[in-house]
Amino acid sequence: NADQAMYAVKNAGRKNFRFYSRALHDAIHTRLRMIRHLRKALEENQFVLYYQPIVSLKTGHLTRMEALVRWHHPVQGLISPDAFIPLAEDTGLIVPIGNWIAKEAITQLAYWRQKYNPELKMAINLSPVQLRSQEFEDIPWIHDLQSKGLNGEAVTIEITEGLLLNSETRVNHNLKMIHQIGIQIAIDDFGTGYSSLAYLRKFNIDFLKIDRSFVEDLKGVGFELCTAIIAMAHSLGLGVIAEGVETEEQEKLLTELECDYMQGYLYSKPLPADEIEKLLVLPYIR
Ligand code: C2E
Ligand code: MG
Ligand code: MG
Ligand code: MG
């Protein structure tokens, strides 16, 4: 694929000039084709949202959903976000794609709220590129919220620590706007990036999502890390969501640590809207 080819390019060195130019040619070609396909995907509505439940530990209720995008490629089938979001970011296509994702997730939330649970909340992942873009200043999907009769509290955005590192003017402004309309902010993959913890207060962060790698390692040093993250979050008044909970044992340990919410295969994999609905009719899912 393109990444491997680029890697080959970097490692080819001067001696292998012919290989170099060939690999470079291929890499560029693959990349351009992929960009073309991405554009077309947007026009032809090939993106789909999957949803994964987030469970309250205290009540066992499914109180939140996270929207996770996939690309339904006509030839290659279902493509995971890790395989196309980086390219969408590089090309700026993440901005219109991200707007589509937010609209779709909001529409779905409005439907589920009136049908199953008027208090359900939706988490939407936002790329740093979106928050750095000028277009974001008026929050392109705010009218979608309003026209569905939802207020900002219905939505949480998930961002990563790196975005907050350099205190960029536009990012600060956009996050302030987000907060002003009541949208909550979660830090995704918390603990894996470079962060000065001061930003947690400065940006009025609402939730930390403990990265899956720490949950996976709860029998090792992950236990101490989870303990520290949860204690710190609570002392700052933030909620904590554990990602990637796969076993009853992890659930038990996280319960003892008084984690607030759980998300992971133990409850459900991300599923298309119509398949996740069967969980929304249940009074609780753990
Ligand atoms: P993320 O936001 O941290 O999402 C969590 C990822 O972990 C998801 O992968 C989810 O399917 C996976 N996961 C959840 N529970 C478990 C578990 O118990 N075990 C394991 N092994 N994995 C679990 P996915 O859907 O492939 O998404 C990967 C990443 O792509 C996301 O990480 C997020 O950073 C990005 N992404 C996904 N959807 C969007 C989107 O709509 N917009 C943007 N900008 N990024 C997105
Ligand atoms: Mg996320
Ligand atoms: Mg995450
Ligand atoms: Mg992640």
Side-chain angles (χ1 to χ4, degrees), residues 114-175:
Q114 59 98 18
K115 195 163 178 201
Y116 301 109
N117 174 1
E119 270 155 33
L120 187 70
K121 294 181 190 248
M122 181 68 73
I124 300 171
N125 292 281
L126 288 193
S127 153
V129 176
Q130 285 173 277
L131 281 154
R132 287 182 181 125
S133 82
Q134 180 147 24
E135 197 200 309
F136 202 84
E137 285 186 6
D138 334 294
I139 311 176
W141 30 269
I142 191 158
H143 301 293
D144 298 276
L145 274 178
Q146 287 164 347
S147 72
K148 302 279 177 200
L150 300 175
N151 53 25
E153 283 91 45
V155 172
T156 301
I157 59 157
E158 299 194 0
I159 58 175
T160 44
E161 293 163 283
L163 178 69
L164 307 175
L165 199 60
N166 299 319
S167 189
E168 301 155 65
T169 316
R170 189 171 292 144
V171 171
N172 295 356
H173 170 85
N174 289 346
L175 287 175

Side-chain angles (χ1 to χ4, degrees), residues 29-90:
H29 188 75
T30 306
R31 197 176 155 87
L32 287 177
R33 192 181 49 215
M34 182 100 167
I35 293 170
R36 244 185 4 251
H37 286 190
L38 256 186
R39 274 213 186 88
K40 199 151 168 252
L42 191 59
E43 284 161 18
E44 297 189 354
N45 237 322
Q46 292 171 4
F47 296 109
V48 278
L49 294 188
Y50 275 40
Y51 297 91
Q52 190 178 34
I54 300 175
V55 189
S56 160
L57 255 189
K58 216 183 272 165
T59 65
H61 295 308
L62 192 179
T63 55
R64 321 174 70 87
M65 285 283 194
E66 179 175 2
L68 295 156
V69 71
R70 274 102 182 84
W71 177 4
H72 214 132
H73 193 284
V75 180
Q76 290 172 49
L78 214 59
I79 304 183
S80 82
D82 290 327
F84 68 87
I85 295 277
L87 187 62
E89 292 180 329
D90 286 354

Side-chain angles (χ1 to χ4, degrees), residues 226-266:
C226 288
T227 307
I229 292 170
I230 293 167
M232 179 192 65
H234 286 169
S235 74
L236 291 169
L238 314 186
V240 184
I241 303 165
E243 294 191 293
V245 180
E246 294 183 353
T247 67
E248 309 247 330
E249 192 178 16
Q250 290 166 345
E251 181 191 71
K252 185 167 165 285
L253 288 170
L254 288 160
T255 307
E256 283 164 16
L257 295 179
E258 297 185 36
C259 186
D260 305 293
Y261 298 91
M262 305 279 186
Q263 177 177 5
Y265 294 170
L266 180 60

Side-chain angles (χ1 to χ4, degrees), residues 95-114:
V95 174
I97 294 173
N99 289 343
W100 179 86
I101 290 167
K103 278 174 208 216
E104 179 75 9
I106 287 166
T107 305
Q108 190 63 60
L109 176 65
Y111 173 74
W112 280 339
R113 277 198 162 202
Q114 59 98 18

